[in-house]
Amino acid sequence: TDAGGEIFRGRAYAMRARALDRLGREPEAKQTQQEGRAVLEAILDRIEDDGVRRDLAAQADWAPLAEETFLTSRDNHARLLALYDMLRVLNSSTDPDTLLASILDLALKALGAERGMILLKQRHDREEDAFAVHLARNLDADTMDDVRSYSRRIVAAAASGQSLLALDAGTDARFQDYKSVSLYGIRSLICVPLRSRDRIIGTVYLDSRSDGRLFTQEDLRFLEAFADQAALALGNVMERVDLEQRNRQLQALAETRTSYHNLIGRCPEMQRVFDTIEKYAATDLPVLIRGESGTGKEIVARAIHFNGPRRKRPFISENCAALPETLLESELFGHVRGAFTGAERDHPGLFEQAHGGTLFLDEIGDMSAAMQARLLRILEERRVRRVGGEKAIEIDVRVLAATHRDLRAEVEAGSFREDLFYRLQVLQVALPPLRDRPGDVELLCEHFLSRIAAERELPPLRIAPEVRAMLQRHRWPGNVRELENTLQRLVVLAAGDTIDTSIVASDPELRARLGHPEPRDARGGISLEAGEKEQLRKALEAAGGNRSAAARLLDISRATFYRKLRRHGL
């Protein structure tokens, strides 16, 4: 009976030491541990059988009375295992979500917590939405809402290195306003920030309810160290993911063709045109190229020819709308000597000249009915007869045709032969107008300015943002051709290294084309923005030749005025 009483007394010491240790009352825990160890040693001294003595000493109930404290024995063993698992996971995980799940599960296991969640900082500025629950274990929606409030406190205190620990949340005044603490019987909770390179990227929250364990200061210190390592690993993984995503974007951009045989474009519509040309170039079938004037129909025809099997043979082009019918007939089919007045010698037509290669017929929709009939016969028979001649000449020509017209509507209206239409439109390329090519205006500007600069053997001019905005807003009825002509005009008018609004304002046609307002000025219409050289001259005339007065009229300094006079040769 005495032995049983002593064992009961020793176990009471062990339980008290364990409780004091968990509450962080280390001096009292150590004193209780020493008193309990003395009781245990007295019990063991009274047992003669070594086996029985060893078995009794090895029972778990006596663990708090061993030489090491409870936390540095059982808990530290679990934490060392958790740290080992953490390092292994952090070194092997490449997916942020997988890593976050591992971090939370390891933290729950190491601290013996019942529930937990990870909140991550969002990429916006509103403080109430700064953190959002990214991952949770065994938690309800109400507790998650409350923890969003906890997380704000963590962020506010993180700069001074503070975390949040509640040994008894039910009696902690800090949580009286949070319904989940009382409603769900939360006994103890702990929340620490996830810091990566001195930046808060999230928080880790753990709690236990009425029958769970109480967290201690040792738990807090361990979780802080754990979270720091986890946050560093998470930051590295997220940076690697961002870098890989950026690399994929750059690779996709690099793989996106911005040009194809003098065709310039980055938009999806032009990428489809490039793909279509590649497919059609490998064949020998007729192609009808549709598009508004200035969209680059002849460039497409050249790209099809020079990327196909006939690339080493002739490429001949003719604009069917540029010649009267009689002259077009002679140009296409040729003529013999004496066929008409002025036909002093035999002349091979373009079909013969293009033998073995490609003949491009631009604006085919403008061809007369008689010419359509002759062209259809040549395409069907693959033979051509010169004007005034009797001999049919065999030809091997791939015909590419282009038009800005809706040929199907022309067929329905009876102005274009249906059989010729289907002969020409075996394959079709549709070129989008420049106004439907988002982003390509800027790309084309860079291309044309570089080309113009190379021709002039000068550095490329830059375009001021205001002028760039004008160019992007313009509808470009003349499409790429109009843009190129506009840039050539701007380069010629530019006095410096930048094309600015003064250049546009100086030219009435450019003002009308690009929508620049007429210049207005309180000084009798004299403004430097309205054509620099002309305005300098007007200012001198208005000032009677007095340069200082002229500079005042233009609201510029005398030094600037003199410099501009020298630049313009005035």
Side-chain angles (χ1 to χ4, degrees), residues 245-487:
Q245 182 178 6
R246 178 60 179 160
N247 286 339
R248 287 193 295 270
Q249 291 172 346
L250 290 174
Q251 184 177 0
L253 186 61
E255 292 174 353
T256 299
R257 291 174 292 189
T258 57
S259 65
Y260 186 88
H261 199 86
N262 292 329
L263 285 166
I264 307 298
R266 184 182 288 128
C267 68
E269 292 80 2
M270 289 305 294
Q271 295 300 309
R272 285 192 287 270
V273 169
F274 297 163
D275 292 340
T276 300
I277 292 173
E278 273 192 334
K279 294 175 184 176
Y280 292 177
T283 76
D284 207 30
L285 297 170
V287 180
L288 180 64
I289 305 166
R290 294 191 302 105
E292 296 179 5
S293 296
T295 50
K297 295 187 289 295
E298 183 169 349
I299 299 176
V300 171
R302 290 181 178 275
I304 292 173
H305 170 76
F306 287 104
N307 287 278
R310 296 174 179 259
R311 66 177 67 88
K312 295 183 179 180
R313 304 297 295 170
F315 176 87
I316 307 294
S317 66
E318 184 59 73
N319 188 328
C320 300
L323 299 174
E325 181 178 342
T326 54
L327 186 55
L328 178 62
E329 181 181 31
S330 175
E331 280 296 304
L332 290 181
F333 312 131
H335 62 261
V336 299
R337 180 181 179 183
F340 50 83
T341 303
E344 298 178 352
R345 57 183 177 84
D346 289 353
H347 171 69
L350 298 183
F351 271 98
E352 292 181 63
Q353 296 176 38
H355 181 71
T358 301
L359 177 60
F360 172 59
L361 300 176
D362 198 7
E363 299 303 347
I364 193 75
D366 292 76
M367 187 176 283
S368 69
M371 287 293 295
Q372 291 178 35
R374 286 207 62 181
L375 177 59
L376 177 62
R377 187 179 307 115
I378 290 172
L379 295 179
E380 290 176 341
E381 297 178 357
R382 304 185 70 83
R383 292 187 301 174
V384 64
R385 182 180 289 107
R386 294 178 182 177
V387 176
E390 298 180 356
K391 178 183 176 182
I393 302 169
E394 299 285 342
I395 56 168
D396 173 22
V397 175
R398 182 181 190 182
V399 174
L400 306 178
T403 182
H404 71 282
R405 299 177 182 272
D406 184 349
L407 285 192
R408 191 175 295 278
E410 298 282 334
V411 169
E412 293 175 357
S415 56
F416 198 86
R417 294 181 65 107
E418 184 176 16
D419 44 6
L420 179 58
F421 172 71
Y422 288 115
R423 275 281 182 181
L424 296 173
Q425 190 182 253
V426 178
L427 302 174
Q428 178 178 269
V429 176
L431 281 174
L434 186 54
R435 61 183 171 274
D436 294 338
R437 295 169 54 180
D440 279 0
V441 169
E442 186 172 0
L443 184 67
L444 286 162
C445 286
E446 294 175 1
H447 169 74
F448 287 132
L449 288 177
S450 296
R451 193 170 76 182
I452 295 169
E455 293 170 353
R456 292 159 55 96
E457 297 183 350
L458 292 171
L461 272 63
R462 62 178 294 271
I463 303 176
E466 299 82 3
V467 178
R468 193 178 299 274
M470 291 181 191
L471 296 173
Q472 291 174 340
R473 286 196 303 267
H474 186 49
R475 296 290 291 170
W476 299 111
N479 293 290
V480 179
R481 184 185 297 122
E482 181 189 357
L483 174 61
E484 182 179 10
N485 293 341
T486 299
L487 290 171

Side-chain angles (χ1 to χ4, degrees), residues 106-318:
L106 289 170
L108 287 166
K109 179 180 178 182
L111 268 67
E114 179 185 359
R115 309 186 307 170
M117 72 174 73
I118 288 180
L119 299 93
L120 293 182
K121 185 165 180 145
Q122 305 300 293
R123 294 183 178 180
H124 42 68
D125 297 327
R126 293 186 302 166
E127 183 181 353
E128 64 269 19
D129 292 330
F131 281 73
V133 176
H134 185 82
L135 183 67
R137 294 284 190 267
N138 308 321
L139 276 163
D140 50 83
D142 287 327
T143 304
M144 290 183 191
D145 290 339
D146 278 353
V147 175
R148 290 189 183 94
S149 298
Y150 307 160
S151 68
R152 289 203 297 274
R153 294 190 180 191
I154 293 298
V155 175
S160 60
Q162 298 179 22
S163 298
L164 188 98
L165 169 67
L167 299 178
D168 189 348
T171 60
D172 195 319
R174 294 174 295 177
F175 305 106
Q176 289 180 354
D177 296 334
Y178 297 113
K179 60 183 179 182
S180 64
V181 171
S182 58
L183 183 63
Y184 296 97
I186 296 175
R187 184 185 186 198
S188 187
L189 63 87
I190 188 169
C191 191
V192 300
L194 285 165
R195 296 185 187 88
S196 178
R197 298 180 179 89
D198 297 325
R199 184 171 62 92
I200 304 298
I201 63 173
T203 62
V204 179
Y205 168 89
L206 305 174
D207 72 22
S208 60
R209 290 184 283 192
S210 57
D211 56 348
R213 66 170 297 194
L214 293 173
F215 299 126
T216 66
Q217 290 294 332
E218 284 292 330
D219 292 322
L220 177 61
R221 286 192 288 271
F222 172 79
L223 189 58
E224 286 177 330
F226 182 100
D228 286 344
Q229 294 300 315
L232 182 61
L234 180 61
N236 290 337
V237 169
M238 293 174 73
E239 286 181 6
R240 183 164 61 246
V241 169
D242 288 343
L243 181 60
E244 290 173 351
Q245 182 178 6
R246 178 60 179 160
N247 286 339
R248 287 193 295 270
Q249 291 172 346
L250 290 174
Q251 184 177 0
L253 186 61
E255 292 174 353
T256 299
R257 291 174 292 189
T258 57
S259 65
Y260 186 88
H261 199 86
N262 292 329
L263 285 166
I264 307 298
R266 184 182 288 128
C267 68
E269 292 80 2
M270 289 305 294
Q271 295 300 309
R272 285 192 287 270
V273 169
F274 297 163
D275 292 340
T276 300
I277 292 173
E278 273 192 334
K279 294 175 184 176
Y280 292 177
T283 76
D284 207 30
L285 297 170
V287 180
L288 180 64
I289 305 166
R290 294 191 302 105
E292 296 179 5
S293 296
T295 50
K297 295 187 289 295
E298 183 169 349
I299 299 176
V300 171
R302 290 181 178 275
I304 292 173
H305 170 76
F306 287 104
N307 287 278
R310 296 174 179 259
R311 66 177 67 88
K312 295 183 179 180
R313 304 297 295 170
F315 176 87
I316 307 294
S317 66
E318 184 59 73

